[in-house]
PDB file of all heavy atoms in Angstrom:
ATOM      1  N   GLY A 218      44.594  43.433 -14.317  1.00  0.00           N
ATOM      2  CA  GLY A 218      45.767  42.622 -14.013  1.00  0.00           C
ATOM      3  C   GLY A 218      45.385  41.212 -13.661  1.00  0.00           C
ATOM      4  O   GLY A 218      46.060  40.246 -14.041  1.00  0.00           O
ATOM      5  N   GLU A 219      44.247  41.061 -12.923  1.00  0.00           N
ATOM      6  CA  GLU A 219      43.831  39.716 -12.526  1.00  0.00           C
ATOM      7  C   GLU A 219      43.445  38.873 -13.721  1.00  0.00           C
ATOM      8  O   GLU A 219      43.831  37.715 -13.829  1.00  0.00           O
ATOM      9  CB  GLU A 219      42.658  39.828 -11.549  1.00  0.00           C
ATOM     10  CG  GLU A 219      42.158  38.487 -11.037  1.00  0.00           C
ATOM     11  CD  GLU A 219      41.015  38.631 -10.052  1.00  0.00           C
ATOM     12  OE1 GLU A 219      40.719  39.770  -9.668  1.00  0.00           O
ATOM     13  OE2 GLU A 219      40.441  37.594  -9.675  1.00  0.00           O
ATOM     14  N   SER A 220      42.692  39.479 -14.696  1.00  0.00           N
ATOM     15  CA  SER A 220      42.280  38.706 -15.854  1.00  0.00           C
ATOM     16  C   SER A 220      43.450  38.387 -16.752  1.00  0.00           C
ATOM     17  O   SER A 220      43.518  37.318 -17.360  1.00  0.00           O
ATOM     18  CB  SER A 220      41.187  39.453 -16.627  1.00  0.00           C
ATOM     19  OG  SER A 220      41.670  40.680 -17.139  1.00  0.00           O
ATOM     20  N   CYS A 221      44.435  39.306 -16.828  1.00  0.00           N
ATOM     21  CA  CYS A 221      45.633  39.018 -17.631  1.00  0.00           C
ATOM     22  C   CYS A 221      46.417  37.870 -17.027  1.00  0.00           C
ATOM     23  O   CYS A 221      46.938  37.016 -17.739  1.00  0.00           O
ATOM     24  CB  CYS A 221      46.507  40.281 -17.708  1.00  0.00           C
ATOM     25  SG  CYS A 221      45.903  41.513 -18.881  1.00  0.00           S
ATOM     26  N   ALA A 222      46.523  37.846 -15.686  1.00  0.00           N
ATOM     27  CA  ALA A 222      47.230  36.756 -15.032  1.00  0.00           C
ATOM     28  C   ALA A 222      46.503  35.444 -15.274  1.00  0.00           C
ATOM     29  O   ALA A 222      47.120  34.400 -15.494  1.00  0.00           O
ATOM     30  CB  ALA A 222      47.346  37.036 -13.538  1.00  0.00           C
ATOM     31  N   GLY A 223      45.169  35.490 -15.230  1.00  0.00           N
ATOM     32  CA  GLY A 223      44.401  34.281 -15.510  1.00  0.00           C
ATOM     33  C   GLY A 223      44.598  33.808 -16.920  1.00  0.00           C
ATOM     34  O   GLY A 223      44.695  32.603 -17.181  1.00  0.00           O
ATOM     35  N   CYS A 224      44.667  34.750 -17.848  1.00  0.00           N
ATOM     36  CA  CYS A 224      44.890  34.402 -19.254  1.00  0.00           C
ATOM     37  C   CYS A 224      46.261  33.743 -19.433  1.00  0.00           C
ATOM     38  O   CYS A 224      46.388  32.751 -20.144  1.00  0.00           O
ATOM     39  CB  CYS A 224      44.799  35.673 -20.100  1.00  0.00           C
ATOM     40  SG  CYS A 224      44.748  35.384 -21.873  1.00  0.00           S
ATOM     41  N   ALA A 225      47.280  34.274 -18.744  1.00  0.00           N
ATOM     42  CA  ALA A 225      48.623  33.684 -18.833  1.00  0.00           C
ATOM     43  C   ALA A 225      48.633  32.275 -18.278  1.00  0.00           C
ATOM     44  O   ALA A 225      49.253  31.371 -18.827  1.00  0.00           O
ATOM     45  CB  ALA A 225      49.632  34.559 -18.099  1.00  0.00           C
ATOM     46  N   GLY A 226      47.941  32.073 -17.172  1.00  0.00           N
ATOM     47  CA  GLY A 226      47.871  30.735 -16.587  1.00  0.00           C
ATOM     48  C   GLY A 226      47.157  29.752 -17.494  1.00  0.00           C
ATOM     49  O   GLY A 226      47.579  28.592 -17.624  1.00  0.00           O
ATOM     50  N   THR A 227      46.079  30.206 -18.129  1.00  0.00           N
ATOM     51  CA  THR A 227      45.357  29.336 -19.056  1.00  0.00           C
ATOM     52  C   THR A 227      46.228  28.998 -20.254  1.00  0.00           C
ATOM     53  O   THR A 227      46.211  27.860 -20.745  1.00  0.00           O
ATOM     54  CB  THR A 227      44.057  30.014 -19.534  1.00  0.00           C
ATOM     55  OG1 THR A 227      43.267  30.343 -18.395  1.00  0.00           O
ATOM     56  CG2 THR A 227      43.272  29.118 -20.455  1.00  0.00           C
ATOM     57  N   MET A 228      47.019  29.963 -20.718  1.00  0.00           N
ATOM     58  CA  MET A 228      47.910  29.711 -21.844  1.00  0.00           C
ATOM     59  C   MET A 228      48.962  28.689 -21.483  1.00  0.00           C
ATOM     60  O   MET A 228      49.284  27.791 -22.293  1.00  0.00           O
ATOM     61  CB  MET A 228      48.563  31.019 -22.302  1.00  0.00           C
ATOM     62  CG  MET A 228      49.303  30.920 -23.620  1.00  0.00           C
ATOM     63  SD  MET A 228      48.206  30.576 -25.015  1.00  0.00           S
ATOM     64  CE  MET A 228      49.373  29.872 -26.187  1.00  0.00           C
ATOM     65  N   ARG A 229      49.499  28.760 -20.262  1.00  0.00           N
ATOM     66  CA  ARG A 229      50.472  27.752 -19.842  1.00  0.00           C
ATOM     67  C   ARG A 229      49.839  26.370 -19.808  1.00  0.00           C
ATOM     68  O   ARG A 229      50.449  25.376 -20.222  1.00  0.00           O
ATOM     69  CB  ARG A 229      51.045  28.112 -18.468  1.00  0.00           C
ATOM     70  CG  ARG A 229      52.034  29.276 -18.491  1.00  0.00           C
ATOM     71  CD  ARG A 229      52.790  29.397 -17.185  1.00  0.00           C
ATOM     72  NE  ARG A 229      51.900  29.692 -16.059  1.00  0.00           N
ATOM     73  CZ  ARG A 229      51.569  30.913 -15.666  1.00  0.00           C
ATOM     74  NH1 ARG A 229      52.037  31.966 -16.319  1.00  0.00           N
ATOM     75  NH2 ARG A 229      50.774  31.093 -14.620  1.00  0.00           N
TER      76      ARG A 229
END
Side-chain angles (χ1 to χ4, degrees):
E219 182 179 352
S220 63
C221 283
C224 190
T227 303
M228 190 65 202
R229 286 193 297 271

